[in-house]
Short mmCIF file of all heavy atoms in Angstrom, two decimals:
data_model
loop_
_atom_site.label_atom_id
_atom_site.label_comp_id
_atom_site.label_asym_id
_atom_site.label_seq_id
_atom_site.Cartn_x
_atom_site.Cartn_y
_atom_site.Cartn_z
N GLU A 622 143.85 64.99 105.29
CA GLU A 622 143.77 66.43 104.72
C GLU A 622 144.94 67.16 105.21
O GLU A 622 145.56 67.87 104.33
CB GLU A 622 142.47 67.05 105.30
CG GLU A 622 141.25 66.67 104.58
CD GLU A 622 141.26 67.13 103.20
OE1 GLU A 622 141.95 66.48 102.35
OE2 GLU A 622 140.50 68.07 102.87
N LYS A 623 145.25 67.11 106.42
CA LYS A 623 146.38 67.95 106.99
C LYS A 623 147.59 67.56 106.26
O LYS A 623 148.34 68.43 105.75
CB LYS A 623 146.55 67.55 108.44
CG LYS A 623 145.76 68.57 109.38
CD LYS A 623 146.12 68.25 110.86
CE LYS A 623 144.89 68.20 111.68
NZ LYS A 623 144.98 67.44 112.82
N LYS A 624 147.80 66.23 106.09
CA LYS A 624 149.08 65.81 105.48
C LYS A 624 149.09 66.35 103.98
O LYS A 624 150.03 66.87 103.48
CB LYS A 624 149.09 64.29 105.41
CG LYS A 624 149.90 63.74 106.60
CD LYS A 624 150.19 62.28 106.41
CE LYS A 624 150.46 61.57 107.79
NZ LYS A 624 150.44 60.11 107.56
N ALA A 625 147.92 66.22 103.27
CA ALA A 625 147.78 66.59 101.93
C ALA A 625 148.14 68.07 101.82
O ALA A 625 148.95 68.50 100.86
CB ALA A 625 146.43 66.35 101.34
N LYS A 626 147.62 68.83 102.76
CA LYS A 626 147.80 70.32 102.73
C LYS A 626 149.36 70.66 102.88
O LYS A 626 149.83 71.46 102.12
CB LYS A 626 147.02 70.92 103.76
CG LYS A 626 145.64 71.28 103.23
CD LYS A 626 144.96 72.42 104.13
CE LYS A 626 143.56 72.63 103.58
NZ LYS A 626 142.53 72.70 104.66
N LYS A 627 149.91 69.99 103.84
CA LYS A 627 151.32 70.17 104.08
C LYS A 627 152.18 69.86 102.83
O LYS A 627 153.00 70.61 102.50
CB LYS A 627 151.77 69.22 105.21
CG LYS A 627 152.57 69.94 106.29
CD LYS A 627 153.08 68.76 107.22
CE LYS A 627 153.40 69.19 108.58
NZ LYS A 627 153.63 68.04 109.44
N LYS A 628 151.89 68.70 102.28
CA LYS A 628 152.58 68.30 101.08
C LYS A 628 152.43 69.29 100.01
O LYS A 628 153.39 69.71 99.35
CB LYS A 628 152.09 66.89 100.61
CG LYS A 628 152.87 65.74 101.20
CD LYS A 628 152.42 64.52 100.46
CE LYS A 628 152.58 63.30 101.45
NZ LYS A 628 151.70 62.21 101.09
N ALA A 629 151.22 69.76 99.85
CA ALA A 629 150.93 70.64 98.73
C ALA A 629 151.67 71.95 98.94
O ALA A 629 152.19 72.54 97.94
CB ALA A 629 149.33 70.89 98.59
N LYS A 630 151.73 72.42 100.18
CA LYS A 630 152.42 73.65 100.43
C LYS A 630 153.87 73.56 100.04
O LYS A 630 154.44 74.38 99.47
CB LYS A 630 152.34 73.95 101.90
CG LYS A 630 151.24 75.19 102.10
CD LYS A 630 151.37 75.78 103.47
CE LYS A 630 150.12 76.55 103.70
NZ LYS A 630 149.58 76.28 105.11
N LYS A 631 154.43 72.37 100.52
CA LYS A 631 155.85 72.14 100.25
C LYS A 631 156.07 72.16 98.70
O LYS A 631 157.03 72.75 98.20
CB LYS A 631 156.19 70.79 100.77
CG LYS A 631 157.27 70.78 101.87
CD LYS A 631 157.82 69.41 101.96
CE LYS A 631 158.04 69.11 103.48
NZ LYS A 631 158.17 67.65 103.68
N ALA A 632 155.19 71.46 98.02
CA ALA A 632 155.28 71.43 96.54
C ALA A 632 155.16 72.72 95.99
O ALA A 632 156.04 73.06 95.02
CB ALA A 632 154.21 70.43 95.97
N GLU A 633 154.33 73.50 96.51
CA GLU A 633 154.12 74.91 95.98
C GLU A 633 155.40 75.76 96.14
O GLU A 633 155.90 76.37 95.19
CB GLU A 633 152.91 75.53 96.69
CG GLU A 633 152.32 76.70 95.94
CD GLU A 633 151.18 77.28 96.77
OE1 GLU A 633 150.62 76.55 97.62
OE2 GLU A 633 150.95 78.47 96.68
N LYS A 634 155.94 75.55 97.31
CA LYS A 634 157.14 76.32 97.53
C LYS A 634 158.24 75.95 96.63
O LYS A 634 159.01 76.87 96.10
CB LYS A 634 157.56 76.00 98.99
CG LYS A 634 158.24 77.17 99.74
CD LYS A 634 158.34 76.81 101.19
CE LYS A 634 159.62 77.61 101.68
NZ LYS A 634 160.00 77.01 103.00
N LYS A 635 158.30 74.65 96.30
CA LYS A 635 159.34 74.18 95.53
C LYS A 635 159.22 74.75 94.08
O LYS A 635 160.09 75.16 93.51
CB LYS A 635 159.32 72.63 95.51
CG LYS A 635 160.51 72.04 94.90
CD LYS A 635 160.64 70.53 95.22
CE LYS A 635 161.83 69.93 94.57
NZ LYS A 635 161.78 69.81 93.13
N VAL A 636 157.94 74.68 93.62
CA VAL A 636 157.67 75.19 92.24
C VAL A 636 158.07 76.63 92.15
O VAL A 636 158.71 77.08 91.26
CB VAL A 636 156.18 74.99 91.96
CG1 VAL A 636 155.91 75.70 90.65
CG2 VAL A 636 155.88 73.57 91.85
N GLN A 637 157.70 77.36 93.23
CA GLN A 637 158.16 78.77 93.26
C GLN A 637 159.61 79.03 93.18
O GLN A 637 160.08 79.85 92.42
CB GLN A 637 157.46 79.46 94.45
CG GLN A 637 156.05 79.83 94.24
CD GLN A 637 155.36 80.30 95.59
OE1 GLN A 637 156.05 80.29 96.65
NE2 GLN A 637 154.19 80.77 95.53
N GLU A 638 160.27 78.14 93.99
CA GLU A 638 161.74 78.33 94.00
C GLU A 638 162.24 78.01 92.64
O GLU A 638 163.12 78.67 92.14
CB GLU A 638 162.33 77.39 95.09
CG GLU A 638 162.37 78.11 96.41
CD GLU A 638 162.59 77.02 97.55
OE1 GLU A 638 163.04 75.96 97.17
OE2 GLU A 638 162.35 77.37 98.62
N ASP A 639 161.73 76.95 92.04
CA ASP A 639 162.17 76.60 90.69
C ASP A 639 162.04 77.67 89.82
O ASP A 639 162.85 78.01 88.94
CB ASP A 639 161.43 75.31 90.23
CG ASP A 639 161.92 74.09 90.95
OD1 ASP A 639 162.82 74.17 91.74
OD2 ASP A 639 161.32 73.09 90.74
N GLY A 640 160.84 78.35 89.94
CA GLY A 640 160.49 79.46 88.98
C GLY A 640 161.55 80.62 89.17
O GLY A 640 162.09 81.07 88.22
N LYS A 641 161.88 80.87 90.44
CA LYS A 641 162.98 81.91 90.76
C LYS A 641 164.26 81.52 90.02
O LYS A 641 164.85 82.30 89.39
CB LYS A 641 163.13 82.09 92.19
CG LYS A 641 162.16 83.09 92.80
CD LYS A 641 162.46 83.24 94.26
CE LYS A 641 161.24 83.45 95.07
NZ LYS A 641 161.33 83.01 96.40
N LYS A 642 164.65 80.31 90.21
CA LYS A 642 165.82 79.81 89.62
C LYS A 642 165.81 80.14 88.13
O LYS A 642 166.70 80.45 87.59
CB LYS A 642 165.98 78.30 89.93
CG LYS A 642 167.03 77.98 91.05
CD LYS A 642 167.26 76.48 91.16
CE LYS A 642 166.59 76.02 92.37
NZ LYS A 642 166.43 74.62 92.34
#
Side-chain angles (χ1 to χ4, degrees):
Chain A
E622 282 295 74
K623 266 184 226 155
K624 271 193 199 164
K626 273 199 183 136
K627 223 189 205 169
K628 267 189 211 157
K630 252 195 201 138
K631 241 194 222 164
E633 200 181 333
K634 213 172 151 195
K635 195 165 176 292
V636 171
Q637 279 171 351
E638 274 165 18
D639 286 356
K641 272 182 215 154
K642 256 186 250 160

